[in-house]
Amino acid sequence: MSLDPKRTIAELKELRALTADENGAQRLAWTDTWLKAREWFASKLKHLPVEQHYDAAGNGWVTLQGDSDKALLLGGHLDSVPNGGWLDGALDEMAGLEVLRRFASEFNGRPPLTIRLVDWADEEGARFGRSLLGSSAFAGTHSIEADRKRTDKDGITLEAALRRCGVEIDRFPEAEREQKNAAAYLELHIEQGPVLENLDLPLGVVLGTKGVERHAITFHGQEAHSGSTPMKVRRDALAAAAKLALEIRSIAGKHPDAVCTMGSVKTLPGIVTAVVGRCETTLDQRDLDAAVLAGMHREAKDASERFAAEEKCSVEWSRIWNIEPIAFDPALIERCEQAILETAGKVHKLPSGPLHDAAEVSRAGIPTVMMFVQSLGGISHNKIEDTREEHLELAVHALDRLASKTVEWIQSTR
Ligand SMILES: [Zn+2]
């Protein structure tokens, strides 16, 4: 039985039928629908010579033991956002399963290296606002104390939701044991952006995940009556914030892949008859290059102070969250490029703006690379998320080639 990418597509449709409603996929982590998806996935393993278990963070592991304990890891996530698409995370997992099946049949159940397929728990963080939960436990970069008291919209704590699924948050560090013998990690994902489609390319090599600087920026001015306060003497906090919102476009524009977003603006007192006395905003900045990211952060800060002064206001910054850029492994990037060239004839290298579990695996020191397949319209986290079926088939073929190349690389160098 050789690789059958059409089966991957059929299985993705089966999963969609099982876990989506008229608004899209509903496989939120730690819910019954997610558990149902995992049960369905387990049913696909019945006739394979594999061992399956869940680690202390709820990540699902399928192991096809090889002659060597050294392991090639393939991964994805079966969880989705509410009203999500049919491919985000699930494609990675089902394509990984197809590659594992190919190894099992080609080597009569015993490949030269061990092949492991992981289903990361709660990649999306859609319910509790904490992304990459399971993979951070695996990598040892978890934040248990900050996370256990997080609540969903119904007031249920993350700790309680996990417990209901048999996962104790205090045991997260035990998931690090799964790192043992891991020699490389591969993940296929839909791009979730428009770059490959605009280039008319099916597949791309992901260079790494962009670093993120996320800040709350508050401008302080003076609340004043909108009728009696002359324009010249106003201290309008919104005016300063508005200048910054336009300026970040030119700050990002100096770098080819950088992005800056002011996603939230709140004005106080926020009434039609008052000059804005306080304006609370957020800024999210991303780039693959740490120096570029630091430079953009500094520039935005300088600009905010300049605009605050121009509007006779003051400004205050506080960091919400940040993560460093994570570059994938150069040797695996090269192999991924070859695998795509051999499959599709053309290739493009690009960074990922969204974070992925692969970033956490890379942080654990395991050589990692990701492959992107084109997303139609660049749309994801939406029920209209889609990719051409011929591109999905190419992606499974390319991942399979990359897996073989990676096995050879591990055997020759590690
Ligand atoms: Zn995903």
Side-chain angles (χ1 to χ4, degrees):
M1 195 169 49
S2 55
L3 193 78
D4 182 2
K6 283 194 167 42
R7 170 165 51 186
T8 306
I9 295 169
E11 287 177 335
L12 285 164
K13 288 178 178 172
E14 216 178 293
L15 180 65
R16 177 170 63 184
L18 190 73
T19 59
D21 60 21
E22 66 279 10
N23 298 313
Q26 307 297 345
R27 299 185 301 273
L28 243 76
W30 320 110
T31 64
D32 289 342
T33 308
W34 178 65
L35 294 175
K36 190 159 82 176
R38 291 189 135 192
E39 206 176 294
W40 169 85
F41 179 77
S43 76
K44 298 288 170 193
L45 305 172
K46 259 182 210 147
H47 303 293
L48 282 169
V50 294
E51 178 273 339
Q52 191 201 15
H53 71 268
Y54 294 98
D55 70 20
N59 301 308
W61 292 91
V62 176
T63 302
L64 172 64
Q65 180 63 43
D67 289 335
S68 164
D69 287 335
K70 280 187 207 166
L72 167 64
L73 271 46
L74 306 165
H77 60 95
L78 289 176
D79 74 310
S80 76
V81 295
N83 305 328
W86 69 305
L87 299 171
D88 180 358
L91 169 64
D92 340 355
E93 193 66 21
M94 300 319 293
L97 176 60
E98 194 54 35
V99 172
L100 184 140
R101 283 172 176 143
R102 196 271 296 166
F103 274 105
S105 78
E106 183 178 337
F107 296 99
N108 284 320
R110 190 115 181 144
L113 288 192
T114 298
I115 311 289
R116 305 189 71 200
L117 175 61
V118 53
D119 167 21
W120 300 111
D122 205 351
E123 189 274 347
E124 299 286 1
R127 189 168 157 199
F128 295 98
R130 201 316 183 182
S131 306
L132 312 183
L133 188 71
S135 53
S136 71
F138 166 85
T141 57
H142 47 74
S143 41
I144 296 171
E145 289 318 315
D147 292 336
R148 75 166 82 234
K149 295 290 174 223
R150 286 174 180 270
T151 51
D152 68 5
K153 63 176 180 6
D154 300 319
I156 296 168
T157 64
L158 182 137
E159 186 171 24
L162 269 58
R163 186 166 289 149
R164 192 180 147 266
C165 296
V167 174
E168 289 297 330
I169 194 167
D170 285 310
R171 291 183 50 207
F172 267 21
E174 293 171 29
E176 288 176 55
R177 290 180 196 153
E178 305 291 340
Q179 288 184 27
K180 197 176 172 203
N181 296 318
Y185 175 75
L186 309 175
E187 187 175 328
L188 165 70
H189 207 281
I190 51 167
E191 185 200 334
Q192 305 178 286
V195 174
L196 292 173
E197 189 179 39
N198 287 342
L199 293 168
D200 199 20
L201 294 176
L203 301 167
V205 184
V206 186
L207 296 167
T209 54
K210 291 180 182 179
V212 182
E213 281 286 353
R214 199 170 285 171
H215 294 261
I217 310 168
T218 302
F219 292 89
H220 299 274
Q222 174 77 63
E223 287 173 26
H225 195 289
S226 65
S228 60
T229 316
M231 297 308 287
K232 273 193 177 146
V233 302
R234 291 185 179 200
R235 300 172 57 205
D236 185 343
L238 174 61
K243 286 180 174 177
L244 183 64
L246 296 178
E247 183 69 13
I248 59 163
R249 300 194 291 196
S250 59
I251 291 172
K254 294 172 197 162
H255 313 283
D257 293 315
V259 286
C260 294
T261 307
M262 276 174 75
S264 165
V265 177
K266 186 177 172 197
T267 58
L268 292 112
I271 56 171
V272 71
T273 52
V275 175
V276 173
R278 189 160 95 229
C279 185
E280 300 171 355
T281 71
T282 59
L283 177 63
D284 177 293
Q285 298 179 292
R286 303 186 189 212
D287 196 77
L288 190 58
D289 183 318
V292 167
L293 186 60
M296 291 202 305
H297 174 215
R298 209 165 38 241
E299 268 189 80
K301 207 161 182 187
D302 290 349
S304 73
E305 281 157 11
R306 195 167 70 245
F307 299 140
E310 284 172 14
E311 300 300 328
K312 301 178 278 294
C313 296
S314 62
V315 63
E316 155 194 21
W317 282 60
S318 87
R319 178 176 270 147
I320 299 170
W321 181 74
N322 75 322
I323 188 170
E324 72 278 13
I326 290 157
F328 291 149
D329 185 85
L332 291 181
I333 287 174
E334 201 184 309
R335 276 152 189 85
C336 187
E337 206 179 343
Q338 289 163 1
I340 293 174
L341 276 173
E342 289 166 17
T343 312
K346 296 173 287 185
V347 66
H348 179 66
K349 296 185 203 174
L350 70 170
S352 173
L355 282 162
H356 292 285
D357 294 307
E360 289 292 0
V361 180
S362 184
R363 284 172 114 185
I366 298 162
T368 292
V369 76
M370 287 184 77
M371 183 186 293
F372 275 168
V373 60
Q374 190 193 103
S375 288
L376 286 173
I379 302 292
S380 184
H381 286 191
N382 186 314
K383 69 169 176 180
I384 67 166
E385 167 189 288
D386 208 1
T387 294
R388 283 193 194 94
E389 291 196 7
E390 67 259 36
H391 288 174
L392 292 174
E393 287 183 35
L394 278 178
V396 180
H397 277 295
L399 179 70
D400 186 55
R401 273 182 185 266
L402 173 58
S404 290
K405 288 178 190 295
T406 305
V407 165
E408 281 166 30
W409 176 71
I410 294 168
Q411 285 176 308
S412 68
T413 61
R414 300 175 67 81

